[in-house]
Amino acid sequence: MTKQKLGIFCGGSGSSKFVRPLSLYLPFHSLEPCFIVNVADNFWHYGVYVCPDVDITTYCLSGKLDQKTGWGIDGDTRNFVRNYALLNPDEAWFGLGDSDLALCYRRTELLSQGWKLSKITEYFRERLQIKEEIIPASDESVQTYILTKGGKMHLQEFWVKNRGEPEVLNVEYSGLTKARPVPKLLEAISSKVLILPANPISSILPTLNLPRVREKLSISSSVIAISPFLGTNAFSGPAAKFMKAKKIECSSLGVAKLYSDFLRIFLVHSSEDPSVINRIKELGVECIKTNIIMRNRSDQERIVNEIANLI
Ligand code: FO1
């Protein structure tokens, strides 16, 4: 039986818990997941091009992800960074494991031979025997910068080097006006779409704001999203800090407003405040309460089945 494509918007660690369960259980519902991944946290470090969200998704799907951190490869060694730190301690703040470095090194080689990021990601997918499509949102460079009292810094510098501590004044993207979505992204969102819980500002908006993406979602797609918030707390990462800086309510309601021009169904956690749910419904979005916290395999299967039934 032919399977229907489901375009799935992903970020990094926040979405990682959902990626493998979706790949395992969606095919039983005749759905073929296509993972559309944020590229706005990509950056150059140690002389290589690192694409954290693309790599997190790749490692999830190949069963290699370090589940404890939500990034990197399980059991990876750190010889490179440890030795680099002896020579250049100020720049050794990014914990790239040795096997992870090998992948980033190969990506850098292929980029220097003129390959596009989407082609390189496809090549890695084949080498690592991953069945599912992984679509980096754009082949062009898009960068997320965080404006703080101490100055402007790249997202990775804010989150990893400075441990997400500086007060955030604003979040800006560079390259977004010139970047185009890769053609496969537009194909993957032509019918059914799922947006995973991820930082809306730094992981989802950079993809949504690429030319034609929002327009295509509002015209032709049926879109379900899972909230990355429980009350006023984000499940992971600096989402609340970024939303506050952008003067957007730090809650599921704030996220629903960001997606309201195309969102059809929003899944929020069972304990979500009824007044928040009513206000989401007033936006014209169907809001469904369910347990969106995944603790074990049966939670994973349950959530994927619920999503598949809604689709
Ligand atoms: N996050 C950290 O908090 N500390 C790290 O040292 C770190 C290293 C790292 C290496 C490879 C990779 O693909 C991701 C890595 N991350 C690390 C995660 C990453 O900074 C963020 O989770 C994403 O960029 C958020 O979208």
Side-chain angles (χ1 to χ4, degrees):
M1 193 161 62
T2 50
K3 294 196 170 71
Q4 187 171 28
K5 281 195 179 186
L6 175 67
I8 304 176
F9 283 63
C10 311
S13 340
S15 327
S16 67
K17 285 199 177 75
F18 286 80
V19 169
R20 200 150 157 84
L22 286 164
S23 75
L24 290 176
Y25 302 120
L26 281 179
F28 293 114
H29 297 270
S30 299
L31 288 164
E32 182 189 327
C34 303
F35 295 96
I36 299 161
V37 192
N38 173 45
V39 292
D41 63 340
N42 296 356
F43 77 131
W44 287 89
H45 204 70
Y46 306 130
V48 295
Y49 195 51
V50 189
C51 303
D53 288 357
V54 175
D55 295 344
I56 289 169
T57 308
T58 302
Y59 298 144
C60 276
L61 292 170
S62 61
K64 288 176 188 287
L65 187 78
D66 182 338
Q67 303 284 345
K68 290 190 287 299
T69 53
W71 48 266
I73 296 175
D74 190 28
D76 209 354
T77 48
R78 289 279 155 81
N79 292 323
F80 169 79
V81 174
R82 202 165 347 100
N83 285 288
Y84 184 86
L86 300 174
L87 309 168
N88 190 4
D90 290 348
E91 286 304 312
W93 48 267
F94 196 66
L96 195 62
D98 296 331
S99 306
D100 210 353
L101 172 67
L103 180 130
C104 296
Y105 183 84
R106 182 69 181 128
R107 173 185 292 127
T108 307
E109 281 183 330
L110 294 170
L111 281 173
S112 75
Q113 290 169 25
W115 287 39
K116 290 183 171 167
L117 181 61
S118 52
K119 186 177 170 191
I120 298 171
T121 308
E122 183 63 16
Y123 164 84
F124 287 161
R125 172 170 93 104
E126 280 166 23
R127 303 296 308 177
L128 298 172
Q129 299 178 349
I130 295 169
K131 286 198 306 293
E132 299 76 17
E133 247 182 297
I134 306 171
I135 306 170
S138 180
D139 281 322
E140 279 86 35
S141 166
V142 180
Q143 302 284 310
T144 307
Y145 286 99
I146 314 302
L147 272 63
T148 73
K149 279 202 172 141
K152 182 170 162 176
M153 57 187 85
H154 188 275
L155 172 69
Q156 300 298 343
E157 220 180 326
F158 166 78
W159 181 240
V160 182
K161 185 176 182 183
N162 291 294
R163 297 173 296 278
E165 285 165 1
E167 189 182 328
V168 179
L169 304 176
N170 205 353
V171 181
E172 285 178 354
Y173 313 104
S174 81
L176 205 51
T177 47
K178 286 198 195 122
R180 289 155 301 157
V182 299
K184 277 188 174 181
L185 186 165
L186 296 175
E187 265 169 50
I189 62 169
S190 60
S191 166
K192 311 279 180 194
V193 172
L194 173 68
I195 302 183
L196 291 182
N199 188 323
I201 307 297
S202 60
S203 296
I204 303 296
L205 284 195
T207 304
L208 285 179
N209 290 350
L210 288 166
R212 294 185 57 206
V213 173
R214 271 184 186 271
E215 184 196 341
K216 182 127 193 170
L217 287 174
S218 58
I219 295 169
S220 55
S221 314
S222 161
V223 187
I224 299 178
I226 305 171
S227 178
F229 272 87
L230 179 49
T232 54
N233 297 316
F235 280 111
S236 66
K241 261 190 156 175
F242 292 174
M243 290 185 47
K244 191 171 162 228
K246 290 244 164 238
K247 304 197 175 22
I248 299 163
E249 202 169 322
C250 301
S251 70
S252 295
L253 176 62
V255 181
K257 282 183 183 167
L258 286 173
Y259 303 163
S260 63
D261 50 327
F262 56 77
L263 187 61
R264 194 168 63 83
I265 303 177
F266 201 34
L267 298 183
V268 299
H269 191 57
S270 339
S271 62
E272 194 57 272
D273 187 338
S275 71
V276 166
I277 293 176
N278 286 337
R279 291 184 63 200
I280 293 173
K281 287 181 180 164
E282 282 165 17
L283 298 170
V285 175
E286 189 180 339
C287 188
I288 297 177
K289 268 183 169 192
T290 187
N291 178 5
I292 54 175
I293 299 173
M294 280 199 278
R295 290 193 186 85
N296 50 43
R297 224 184 152 86
S298 75
D299 282 340
Q300 296 178 347
E301 202 171 340
R302 175 187 51 78
I303 292 179
V304 177
N305 288 341
E306 278 181 39
I307 292 166
N309 290 333
L310 289 168
I311 290 162

